[in-house]
Amino acid sequence: MRGRVITGLVALTALASLALVGCGDDDGAGVRELDGEGSATGSASATGSASATGSASAPAECVPVGDLSEADTVVNTVLDEWFIALDAPSAPAGDVGFVAENVGEENHEVVVVKGVALEDVPTDENGAMVEDELPDGALIGEIEAFPPGETCDGTFALDPGDYLLICNIVEEEPDGTIESHFALGMVTDFTVE
Ligand SMILES: [Cu+2]
């Protein structure tokens, strides 16, 4: 019952809750505990994620995208709570392979978006990107969510332009805590020249 009360509060103060989550790296242990509980019981947390992002309903596993061996440029990418770091801010036009290492403690993903400024990314009430509302052609592709401790890669044919790399996972924990990885800071610029 306590969880339901908190959920109601979160609905009214989603932004404040996100800010608290963002400040509280120490809360990570608790969140992870709840994660484990959720998967063990098959609870509603996965349902919430699926409706928000369509990416986290099944157990995450690395599914490489494209053929890394064909990449003209390889960009090493680090995913963690709550940032995406690249070893190069740009690449020449062509096949760009992102080799993403998840050094964090939660699943992460990489969505490649072209030609949309950060302030123009369409978002929902949780601060997550609404992929369906992106301009036509802006959604280039994505490395779907994969687990902590793993490395996954995606190779995309990129034309010159300004890009964003975004982790768009949203999780609603059993205690009502909502985490939008994008809102928490998992976004970075990338330029193709
Ligand atoms: Cu993430």
Side-chain angles (χ1 to χ4, degrees), residues 62 89 92 166:
C62 170
I166 291 172

Side-chain angles (χ1 to χ4, degrees), residues 79-84 102 106-110 166-171 180-182 186:
L79 309 176
D80 201 351
E81 298 86 36
W82 305 103
F83 63 82
I84 298 176
N102 183 352
E106 301 194 14
N107 295 338
H108 294 299
E109 66 180 9
V110 179
I166 291 172
C167 177
N168 200 36
I169 288 178
V170 174
E171 300 164 82
S180 158
H181 292 201
F182 175 49
M186 293 197 70

Side-chain angles (χ1 to χ4, degrees), residues 75-79 83-89 96 98-100 109-114 116 118 129 140-143 156 158 162-168 182 185-192:
V75 178
N76 293 307
T77 305
V78 174
L79 309 176
F83 63 82
I84 298 176
L86 308 177
D87 71 348
V96 181
F98 296 96
V99 177
E109 66 180 9
V110 179
V111 184
V112 181
V113 175
K114 182 185 181 190
V116 180
L118 180 57
M129 174 170 65
I140 301 300
E142 67 182 290
I143 304 171
F156 307 95
L158 300 183
D162 295 324
Y163 292 79
L164 294 173
L165 304 183
I166 291 172
C167 177
N168 200 36
F182 175 49
M186 293 197 70
V187 55
T188 193
D189 297 309
F190 187 71
T191 303
V192 175

Side-chain angles (χ1 to χ4, degrees), residues 26-191:
D26 291 345
D27 290 339
V31 169
R32 286 191 300 281
E33 255 178 41
L34 292 167
D35 266 335
E37 190 178 305
S39 55
T41 60
S43 82
S45 68
T47 303
S49 299
S51 63
T53 69
S55 63
S57 56
E61 62 176 296
C62 170
V63 180
V65 179
D67 185 351
L68 184 64
S69 71
E70 297 287 312
D72 300 305
T73 307
V74 171
V75 178
N76 293 307
T77 305
V78 174
L79 309 176
D80 201 351
E81 298 86 36
W82 305 103
F83 63 82
I84 298 176
L86 308 177
D87 71 348
S90 64
D95 290 338
V96 181
F98 296 96
V99 177
E101 181 179 10
N102 183 352
V103 303
E105 294 170 334
E106 301 194 14
N107 295 338
H108 294 299
E109 66 180 9
V110 179
V111 184
V112 181
V113 175
K114 182 185 181 190
V116 180
L118 180 57
E119 59 270 26
D120 294 331
V121 173
T123 54
D124 66 14
E125 69 276 12
N126 297 319
M129 174 170 65
V130 181
E131 297 181 5
D132 289 347
E133 294 181 7
L134 286 168
D136 286 347
L139 186 62
I140 301 300
E142 67 182 290
I143 304 171
E144 302 269 7
F146 64 98
E150 294 194 12
T151 297
C152 200
D153 60 81
T155 301
F156 307 95
L158 300 183
D159 296 326
D162 295 324
Y163 292 79
L164 294 173
L165 304 183
I166 291 172
C167 177
N168 200 36
I169 288 178
V170 174
E171 300 164 82
E172 182 172 355
E173 306 295 350
D175 71 351
T177 303
I178 296 173
E179 288 182 342
S180 158
H181 292 201
F182 175 49
L184 288 166
M186 293 197 70
V187 55
T188 193
D189 297 309
F190 187 71
T191 303

